[in-house]
């Protein structure tokens, strides 16, 4: 019988992915040869490029998302992230994850200052909606021809009365189709801003997209029957109850919320990076959303319903599936092919399910065996490499380290010497 995926060699895993239809031969070659980025591509992406910085790409297994089986590429340097995520997805294999997206629009902000009368200016803008729509279309006709473009306008008054600071901010809600959208938004903002300035007789502070993508919310949910949570030491109901309690705590205490959410972002960022998207933009939006009630809190909700633990994660998720770095990074293209997603919305659904799975895995470990057990197991192989183990020595030393009560570099070095002698 073929060894389990995680026990296969790297080449065997690639062969398995070919057999399962997640990779084709050409993509596999790219994985096998592991070429660095073409220099021209690297140079076109950033300034002052001197070299490249490889990170491991692994795959999370066992996912079922909206009824579809998925293997998910993740780029991450932290041991245990992918193992934990795959394990969570395995526990949820029967029912899988469900997702929901109401709409996908990005927000561009035009921020004005020195407005003589805020209310009059606000009304003037709302009265000129049609002209603003026309200008937006003229500044980026191709996005309109693809069914996107400006969809709505809103006006906000931002005032800090004691310092007599007041601003008038116009939000342009733009459908950017499958792109990340920064260029589209900024082009439309440039096209519209001069008219807005004329209308309001104010001065421009700035025009820029907002990463707080509240018009682009994506929800992932899962329902885990207690029976699938049971371990040899804990009943499924007890684990479910503790997970709910852990989540409640993270809603109340920002110190815990930051760590709780970091675990979610472990999964989210890994997929975002693997698909050539911008993790900084996603992080900024996610943390802003986690503070929307006035205090930074847990991004997830967990509750018990009859015989199930129900999890929910809603965040702004403005990832793209075309354009920008996505289209020039060959590995990002392979990741998107492997996911078999045909739109940015489908990608956003996957990203959110990975975040929820990651949180489930972390909470389950934390309220049962503790996080260190799993972490240390995986830490063993990093430690083996750190102390100089080579080739087959790595696996032997890792195995020995896992049996040690204390796992540190001194112990690792001593064991390595023993292996070599
Ligand atoms: C570690 O990278 C992530 C965790 O700390 C998340 C959490 O505490 O929920 C395990």
């Amino acid at each position: 019988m073929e060894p389990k995926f995680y026990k296969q060699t790297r080449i065997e895993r690639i062969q398995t992915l070919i057999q399962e239809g997640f990779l084709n031969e050409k993509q596999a070659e790219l994985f096998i040869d592991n070429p660095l980025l073409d220099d021209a591509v690297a140079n076109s992406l950033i300034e002052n490029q001197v070299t490249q910085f490889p990170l491991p790409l692994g795959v999370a297994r066992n996912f079922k998302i909206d009824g579809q089986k998925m293997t998910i590429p993740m780029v991450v340097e932290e041991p245990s992230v992918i193992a934990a995520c795959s394990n969570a997805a395995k526990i949820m294999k029967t029912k899988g994850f469900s997702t929901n997206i109401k709409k996908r629009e990005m927000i561009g902000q035009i921020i004005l200052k020195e407005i003589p009368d805020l209310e009059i200016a606000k009304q003037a803008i709302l009265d000129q909606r049609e002209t603003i729509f026309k200008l937006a279309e003229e500044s980026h006709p191709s996005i309109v021809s693809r069914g996107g473009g400006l969809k709505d306008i809103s006006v906000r008054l931002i005032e800090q009365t004691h310092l007599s600071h007041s601003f008038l901010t116009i939000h342009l809600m733009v459908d950017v189709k499958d792109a990340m959208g920064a260029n589209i938004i900024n082009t439309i903002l440039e096209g519209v801003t001069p008219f807005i300035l004329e209308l309001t007789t104010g001065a421009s502070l700035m025009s820029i997209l907002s990463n707080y993508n509240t018009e682009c919310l994506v929800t992932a949910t899962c329902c885990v029957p207690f029976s699938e949570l049971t371990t040899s030491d804990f009943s499924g109901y007890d684990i479910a109850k503790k997970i709910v309690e852990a989540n409640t705590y993270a809603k109340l205490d920002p110190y815990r919320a930051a760590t709780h959410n970091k675990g979610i972002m472990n999964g989210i960022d890994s997929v975002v990076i693997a698909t050539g998207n911008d993790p900084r933009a996603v992080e900024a939006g996610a943390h802003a959303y986690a503070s929307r009630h006035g205090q930074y809190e847990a991004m997830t909700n967990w509750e018990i319903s009859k015989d199930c633990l129900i999890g929910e994660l809603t965040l702004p998720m403005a990832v793209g599936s075309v354009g920008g770095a996505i289209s020039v990074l060959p590995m990002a293209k392979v990741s998107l092919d492997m996911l078999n997603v045909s739109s940015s919305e489908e990608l956003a659904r996957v990203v959110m399910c990975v975040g929820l799975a990651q949180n489930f895995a972390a909470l389950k470990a934390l309220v049962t065996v503790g996080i260190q057990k799993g972490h240390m197991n995986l830490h063993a192989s990093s430690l083996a490499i750190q102390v100089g183990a080579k080739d087959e020595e790595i696996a032997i030393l890792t195995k020995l380290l896992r049996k040690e009560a204390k796992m540190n570099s001194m112990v690792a070095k001593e064991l390595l010497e023993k292996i070599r002698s």
Side-chain angles (χ1 to χ4, degrees):
M1 205 180 76
E2 206 172 72
K4 288 199 167 139
F5 190 79
Y6 74 95
K7 286 195 174 162
Q8 292 175 5
T9 64
R10 184 173 81 89
I11 302 297
E12 283 168 348
R13 285 185 203 134
I14 290 174
Q15 294 301 343
T16 304
L17 293 175
I18 295 174
Q19 277 160 23
E20 291 177 353
F22 290 115
L23 276 184
N24 63 36
E25 297 283 348
K26 204 155 163 251
Q27 293 167 335
E29 251 171 55
L30 195 69
F31 273 21
I32 290 169
D33 298 345
N34 198 14
L36 293 174
L37 268 182
D38 189 85
D39 216 36
V41 172
N43 261 323
S44 72
L45 276 174
I46 62 160
E47 306 77 31
N48 301 352
Q49 193 251 150
V50 287
T51 184
Q52 292 158 35
F53 189 97
L55 281 170
L57 183 152
V59 289
R61 308 276 286 166
N62 314 318
F63 270 85
K64 192 160 101 185
I65 298 178
D66 297 323
Q68 202 185 333
K69 272 189 174 177
M70 303 201 90
T71 278
I72 301 174
M74 297 172 78
V75 170
V76 63
E77 85 302 341
E78 182 175 328
S80 88
V81 168
I82 294 180
C85 189
S86 298
N87 194 262
K90 192 171 173 188
I91 294 174
M92 300 183 193
K93 211 157 90 180
T94 328
K95 297 209 170 185
F97 296 84
S98 306
T99 63
N100 183 34
I101 303 182
K102 289 211 171 66
K103 62 174 159 177
R104 183 181 190 271
E105 287 166 11
M106 310 291 163
I107 299 169
Q109 294 193 296
I110 300 172
I111 307 171
L112 306 180
K113 58 177 187 167
E114 294 159 22
I115 304 277
D117 186 318
L118 289 174
E119 288 299 338
I120 290 178
K122 178 177 176 178
Q123 198 51 50
I125 293 165
L126 295 176
D127 290 345
Q128 291 295 327
R129 270 176 72 94
E130 263 179 47
T131 315
I132 297 170
F133 270 78
K134 200 166 136 278
L135 288 169
E137 180 169 350
E138 280 167 13
S139 53
H140 208 307
S142 66
I143 190 70
V144 179
S145 64
R146 283 185 278 136
L150 182 60
K151 296 291 165 190
D152 202 1
I153 301 170
S154 70
V155 184
R156 298 165 65 224
L157 309 182
I158 308 285
E159 291 177 273
Q160 195 180 34
T161 33
H162 67 285
L163 290 174
S164 50
H165 278 163
S166 61
F167 303 92
L168 186 82
T169 300
I170 297 100
H171 280 194
L172 302 185
M173 269 63 85
V174 181
D175 179 351
V176 296
K177 303 314 289 175
D178 288 317
M180 276 189 270
N183 287 335
I184 299 172
I185 299 265
N186 292 333
T187 306
I188 293 177
L189 288 172
E190 255 175 43
V192 170
T193 302
F195 176 66
I196 303 265
L197 280 172
E198 226 176 85
L199 261 185
T200 56
T201 64
S204 164
L205 179 64
M206 66 176 82
S207 296
I208 183 74
L209 66 81
S210 168
N211 286 121
Y212 188 24
N213 286 298
T214 49
E215 305 302 311
C216 188
L217 296 177
V218 184
T219 299
T221 51
C222 63
C223 167
V224 203
F226 298 151
S227 55
E228 289 177 22
L229 276 175
T230 309
T231 67
S232 49
D233 296 323
F234 301 92
S235 80
Y237 175 69
D238 279 346
I239 294 181
K241 230 171 55 179
K242 286 179 178 197
I243 288 177
V244 172
E245 208 174 2
N247 197 78
T248 304
Y249 184 80
K251 288 268 177 201
L252 299 171
D253 175 8
Y255 283 88
R256 172 59 202 151
T259 322
H260 179 102
N261 293 342
K262 189 270 182 183
I264 296 168
M265 300 318 287
N266 275 347
I268 288 183
D269 283 352
S270 305
V271 187
V272 167
I273 296 169
T275 54
N277 275 279
D278 177 351
R280 300 160 304 277
V282 170
E283 288 268 354
H287 295 293
Y289 193 68
S291 311
R292 69 194 178 285
H293 298 129
Q295 177 179 300
Y296 184 74
E297 58 182 40
M299 294 167 177
T300 40
N301 291 303
W302 289 98
E303 62 178 42
I304 284 173
S305 162
K306 284 196 213 141
D307 54 356
C308 267
L309 170 68
I310 302 206
E312 185 256 341
L313 174 64
T314 299
L315 288 176
M317 192 45 64
V319 284
S321 59
V322 292
I326 303 162
S327 302
V328 290
L329 292 171
M331 287 292 187
K333 281 196 223 159
V334 178
S335 292
L336 285 164
D337 281 354
M338 185 184 276
L339 286 167
N340 199 17
V341 288
S342 53
S343 69
S344 53
E345 288 197 0
E346 281 181 37
L347 175 59
R349 291 172 197 273
V350 173
V351 171
M352 292 300 293
C353 294
V354 174
L356 186 57
Q358 209 75 52
N359 178 245
F360 169 80
L363 294 188
K364 181 169 175 282
L366 285 165
V367 300
T368 55
V369 291
I371 210 75
Q372 210 51 2
K373 189 167 175 261
H375 264 220
M376 287 319 271
N377 270 344
L378 284 149
H379 178 58
S381 60
S382 314
L383 196 56
I385 296 166
Q386 267 171 42
V387 298
K390 297 266 177 304
D391 306 322
E392 65 272 22
E393 286 173 355
I394 299 173
I396 302 169
L397 181 53
T398 303
K399 211 168 165 188
L400 291 176
L401 275 170
R402 283 182 185 160
K403 290 187 193 145
E404 288 293 320
K406 274 197 188 142
M407 208 190 282
N408 56 39
S409 54
M410 211 169 77
V411 175
K413 274 183 196 152
E414 278 169 16
L415 288 172
L416 183 60
E417 271 168 31
K418 271 194 203 153
I419 295 169
R420 286 179 176 168
S421 63

